[in-house]
Amino acid sequence: MAENGHVAADQAARWSGPSGRAWIDNQDLLDRLYRPFEEFLVDQVEDVSGQRVLDIGCGTGSTTLAVCRAGEAVGVDISEPMIAVARERARAEGLSAEFVCADVQTHQFAEAEFDTVVSRFGVMFFGDPVAAFRNIRLAAADDASLRMIVWRNPDPADIMSIAERATASLLPDLPPRPASVPTEPGQFAFADPALVTPILDASGWRDVTVEPLDVELGLPLDDMLRYVTTFGRVGVQMGTVDAKARAQVTDQLAEAFAALTFDSEVRYPAACWSLSATA
């Protein structure tokens, strides 16, 4: 338990610090890039009127707000700065969405409070995934639906993989890609469905299904360059090199992205899993 508490503290520090700030500063860009996932989840919820929906790892609130436009939604995230932005967005739009800053592993939700649980890339960072999903299960009504999108291991056509190959000669110290280990929180912690399904089974969920979800994503060139030089392994390294090297990296990326540009947008396939289960 102490180790899991340490992981939660680390995640809170990360997402309330530089990682959270990067998401906040690039909120509009990320909302536009990931909108197909948001639309997919809202469609998965079917008829949300009269339902109470919980959004796990809601970040700055885009998916929560999308659900709230048709029903009642609560977003939860461990990052106080991101929750503050989400609340302001709800106020600005005149929506009644609720936002809670909490660790999902330990937060005391009301029992059987939610009819549907959704998450867009928000469940891969738990120190104890079984404890987290068991706690979520207690917050879900009987027969409630769980709908989540998580990353698969990216294939060579993924934009981050392309960026890494294109800049390898300029950024020789790229950090290693994180392994797919459910006991170690990270972007690809749920990439192996053979390891994820037992977590949900052990947490009180049934009828677990895992289906590949391949979505084409796109942004104008300048926005895509900002995305790959802010996030991922290339983004991490960009802060360690001088202005000349950063300019060279940007030029090399622009050249690499030329082959992916269609109708003024850089487009690429994103490899994910669509996970579903029933309480």
Side-chain angles (χ1 to χ4, degrees):
M1 184 66 69
E3 181 180 351
N4 292 332
H6 179 70
V7 170
D10 285 348
Q11 290 297 319
R14 174 187 177 189
W15 294 106
S16 296
S19 292
R21 175 50 55 189
W23 273 78
I24 291 169
D25 291 345
N26 294 277
Q27 170 201 306
D28 177 67
L29 180 152
L30 293 166
D31 284 353
R32 284 185 285 121
L33 180 64
Y34 291 162
R35 186 157 289 123
F37 297 124
E38 174 186 302
E39 293 170 349
F40 176 84
L41 277 178
V42 172
D43 288 345
Q44 289 287 296
V45 174
E46 298 177 356
D47 181 9
V48 299
S49 59
Q51 290 196 20
R52 190 163 168 83
V53 180
L54 177 64
D55 181 14
I56 303 293
C58 66
T60 55
S62 179
T63 300
T64 314
L65 297 175
V67 172
C68 193
R69 293 181 191 111
E72 188 176 357
V74 177
V76 59
D77 199 280
I78 204 167
S79 169
E80 182 62 56
M82 295 174 83
I83 286 292
V85 171
R87 288 171 178 155
E88 180 55 38
R89 294 178 71 184
R91 281 193 292 268
E93 199 171 331
L95 293 173
S96 60
E98 298 177 40
F99 291 98
V100 179
C101 182
D103 177 5
V104 171
Q105 295 176 127
T106 57
H107 182 67
Q108 292 187 339
F109 296 101
E111 187 173 344
E113 183 178 4
F114 298 102
D115 306 292
T116 302
V117 180
V118 300
S119 181
R120 186 194 69 178
F121 308 128
V123 297
M124 302 93 71
F125 304 96
F126 299 130
D128 186 341
V130 172
F133 280 102
R134 184 178 294 129
N135 198 36
I136 295 167
R137 169 63 188 93
L138 292 174
D142 288 345
D143 296 324
S145 298
L146 175 66
R147 300 288 185 268
M148 305 183 294
I149 301 174
V150 300
W151 294 111
R152 300 203 316 261
N153 281 322
D155 61 31
D158 180 79
I159 199 69
M160 293 298 186
S161 298
I162 293 169
E164 290 162 14
R165 292 196 302 272
T167 60
S169 62
L170 298 171
L171 300 173
D173 298 322
L174 283 177
R177 186 177 293 282
S180 304
V181 182
T183 55
E184 296 181 10
Q187 180 181 1
F188 300 107
F190 276 25
D192 186 347
L195 300 177
V196 173
T197 300
I199 290 173
L200 295 176
D201 286 340
S203 305
W205 296 89
R206 59 182 172 83
D207 302 331
V208 178
T209 63
V210 183
E211 298 179 340
L213 177 63
D214 298 287
V215 177
E216 187 179 63
L217 304 181
L219 287 171
L221 176 60
D222 286 347
D223 286 338
M224 192 64 78
L225 289 171
R226 179 156 60 101
Y227 174 62
V228 300
T229 57
T230 301
F231 301 97
R233 298 163 76 214
V234 171
V236 169
Q237 284 302 104
M238 286 292 278
T240 68
V241 299
D242 60 25
K244 180 180 178 180
R246 288 196 294 272
Q248 290 175 323
V249 166
T250 301
D251 289 345
Q252 205 143 307
L253 288 169
E255 184 177 340
F257 292 167
L260 307 176
T261 302
F262 306 94
D263 297 327
S264 302
E265 279 198 337
V266 179
R267 308 198 65 83
Y268 70 97
C272 303
W273 294 116
S274 172
L275 305 178
S276 64
T278 303

